[in-house]
Amino acid sequence: MGDSRSSSEDPTAEGEWVLYKDRPEWADVTPLPQDDGPSPVVQIAYTERFKDVYDYFRAVLKSGEKSTRVLQLTEDALELNPANYTVWHYRRVVLKAIGSDIKEELQYCREIIEEHPKNYQVWQHRRALIEWLNEPGTELRFTEVILAIDQKNYHAWQHRQWVLQAFSLYEGELDFIDRLLLDDIRNNSAWNQRFYVISHSGGWTAEVVEREVKYSLEKIQIVKRNESAWNYMRGVLEHCDDAAAADKQRSVVKERCQELLAAGCESPYLLGFLVELLQYQLDEEAVSEKQELVTTATGLCTRLSKDIDTVRCRYWDFISNTITRKYSVPA
C-alpha cells in the first residue's frame, strides 16, 4: 500500500506510535482487554500496540459507538490484522451510520487488496460496497488489474463472476478471455471463466457447442498437450442440451483425434479422450463391431499405462479391465 492512512505518522515504527490510552481524544473510553479465561495455556505474544488498538476496538464494539474516530480505529486495527472479519463487519456498520463516502471507501479497499490480494474478508467488504452503490463501476477493470498480477487469484475471479452475474455484464467477457488465452493458452482459470460465462448467458445450445468444440480444437492444434483445452472440450460435450448435436460433435472430435494420433501425437490427453469417446460409443446399444472398439480402447489404455502416462498406470489398467469386463463380446 502507498501512503499510510493510519492515525499515527508511521504504524510500522513502534517508537513513533501513539497508544490510544495516551491520546486525549480517547480518554472517555475504557479499554476492554481480551478475555483468555482464568488459566490461559499458550497465550499469543501480542505487541503492546496490537493489544492497545484491539482493547479499544472491543470497547467501542461493546458500547456500539459509531463515529469518525471509530472508523479510524478500525483502520488501525486492520493495519495490524487485515483478516479480522469482525473489524470489517463493524466498519461497514459505522460507514452506514455516519454516511461515509462509499467511493472513497472503495479506494481504501483497493489499497488493502493490492497489499493483501488473497484476503477473503477484504473482497467480501468490497462486494458489500458495490451492493450498496448498486452499480458495477470499474469493477471489471479492477479485477483485470489484479488478475494481471496473479492470473489464478481465486478471490478476483469470484468477485468478477459475481459482478458479471449481478449486473448482467456478460457481453464482451469472451473477448477478455480470448486475450488471456492469447497471452497464456494454458491459463486454466481463463478456460474455467469461459465455461462459466457461457453457462450463465447463452447456455449450451447446439450452435454454441459446435462453435466451442471448433474453438477448443483450434487451441489444441496449437498446444496438443494442453490439459485445460481438453478438459474444457469434455465439459462442452457433456453439457450440450441437444443430444443429437452432442453426438455429431463427438464424431467430429473423434475424427480429429484419430488424425492427430495418426500424425504421431502422443499427448496423454489425446489418448485419454479417445478412450472416453470409445466408451461412450460402446454404451450405445445399437453399436456394431463392439469387439473391435473394445480392442482399440484397451490398446490405447495399454499405451497410456506402459509408455505415455506411466504415473497413472494403475488407473489405465483399471479402465482397460473395466472395458474388457463390461463390453467384451463372448466368443
Side-chain angles (χ1 to χ4, degrees):
M1 188 159 47
D3 296 336
S4 174
R5 295 167 53 114
S6 176
S7 59
S8 180
E9 288 298 320
D10 182 0
T12 63
E14 195 77 38
E16 298 178 12
W17 176 263
V18 180
L19 296 171
Y20 273 80
K21 67 180 183 180
D22 296 329
R23 301 184 189 189
E25 66 272 26
W26 284 89
D28 60 312
V29 176
T30 301
L32 182 61
Q34 179 170 301
D35 184 2
D36 288 327
S39 304
V41 179
V42 183
Q43 285 185 296
I44 298 175
Y46 296 117
T47 63
E48 184 181 20
R49 175 156 58 94
F50 191 100
K51 288 189 290 186
D52 177 68
V53 169
Y54 275 89
D55 285 355
Y56 275 83
F57 173 72
R58 279 186 287 271
V60 298
L61 183 64
K62 183 177 181 179
S63 68
E65 180 182 338
K66 303 172 187 67
S67 62
T68 302
R69 71 173 183 175
V70 169
L71 194 65
Q72 183 59 62
L73 173 62
T74 63
E75 288 192 24
D76 289 337
L78 291 169
E79 284 275 359
L80 296 166
N81 181 9
N84 190 310
Y85 177 83
T86 302
V87 178
W88 282 112
H89 170 74
Y90 198 64
R91 182 174 178 85
R92 289 194 290 276
V93 172
V94 174
L95 285 168
K96 271 195 169 183
I98 66 177
S100 293
D101 185 337
I102 302 305
K103 292 190 175 181
E104 181 179 332
E105 180 68 8
L106 278 173
Q107 179 57 35
Y108 167 68
C109 193
R110 175 175 184 147
E111 293 170 2
I112 299 294
I113 286 174
E114 287 175 347
E115 187 171 353
H116 304 281
K118 294 187 177 180
N119 179 321
Y120 284 93
Q121 290 74 24
V122 67
W123 282 103
Q124 173 60 30
H125 184 69
R126 190 171 187 91
R127 173 170 171 169
L129 298 176
I130 298 301
E131 286 177 331
W132 292 353
L133 290 172
N134 196 30
E135 60 179 55
T138 58
E139 290 306 284
L140 292 183
R141 175 56 186 161
F142 172 65
T143 55
E144 186 176 346
V145 169
I146 300 300
L147 290 169
I149 300 170
D150 178 3
Q151 65 184 18
K152 296 185 181 297
N153 188 319
Y154 170 80
H155 310 282
W157 280 117
Q158 185 181 49
H159 186 72
R160 187 178 184 90
Q161 289 180 353
W162 172 76
V163 172
L164 289 172
Q165 188 170 15
F167 299 99
S168 299
L169 298 177
Y170 295 108
E171 185 177 354
E173 186 67 5
L174 291 184
D175 292 334
F176 168 66
I177 296 166
D178 284 340
R179 294 197 299 273
L180 293 180
L181 292 176
L182 282 173
D183 183 57
D184 178 8
I185 201 170
R186 292 182 173 86
N187 186 338
N188 190 60
S189 297
W191 284 103
N192 179 73
Q193 181 74 351
R194 188 176 187 90
F195 194 88
Y196 172 87
V197 170
I198 294 173
S199 296
H200 288 78
S201 52
W204 300 101
T205 62
E207 181 181 359
V208 170
V209 168
E210 181 179 359
R211 181 193 72 199
E212 292 305 300
V213 165
K214 182 175 182 290
Y215 181 88
S216 302
L217 289 173
E218 288 173 352
K219 297 300 183 184
I220 287 169
Q221 182 62 35
I222 298 171
V223 180
K224 300 173 183 63
R225 290 176 177 266
N226 179 8
E227 185 176 8
S228 297
W230 288 103
N231 285 340
Y232 177 77
M233 187 165 62
R234 178 180 293 108
V236 170
L237 293 171
E238 288 178 354
H239 286 78
C240 182
D241 57 20
D242 184 323
D247 287 342
K248 179 181 178 181
Q249 290 307 309
R250 284 189 178 90
S251 297
V252 170
V253 172
K254 183 182 176 183
E255 181 180 351
R256 184 63 188 130
C257 286
Q258 289 172 333
E259 290 173 358
L260 289 171
L261 191 64
C265 178
E266 292 192 334
S267 164
Y269 313 118
L270 163 63
L271 273 69
F273 209 97
L274 260 176
V275 171
E276 291 179 24
L277 290 173
L278 290 168
Q279 284 180 286
Y280 181 85
Q281 194 173 349
L282 284 164
D283 279 330
E284 298 298 308
E285 292 182 6
V287 68
S288 60
E289 300 178 349
K290 182 169 286 191
Q291 189 57 48
E292 182 180 341
L293 293 177
V294 169
T295 301
T296 302
T298 55
L300 290 171
C301 288
T302 298
R303 288 183 64 185
L304 285 161
S305 174
K306 303 298 183 184
D307 304 316
I308 298 173
D309 193 15
T310 56
V311 172
R312 298 197 300 163
C313 61
R314 291 189 178 182
Y315 170 76
W316 292 117
D317 290 341
F318 169 77
I319 295 298
S320 180
N321 291 334
T322 300
I323 292 172
T324 300
R325 186 174 59 253
K326 185 175 179 181
Y327 302 110
S328 284
V329 178

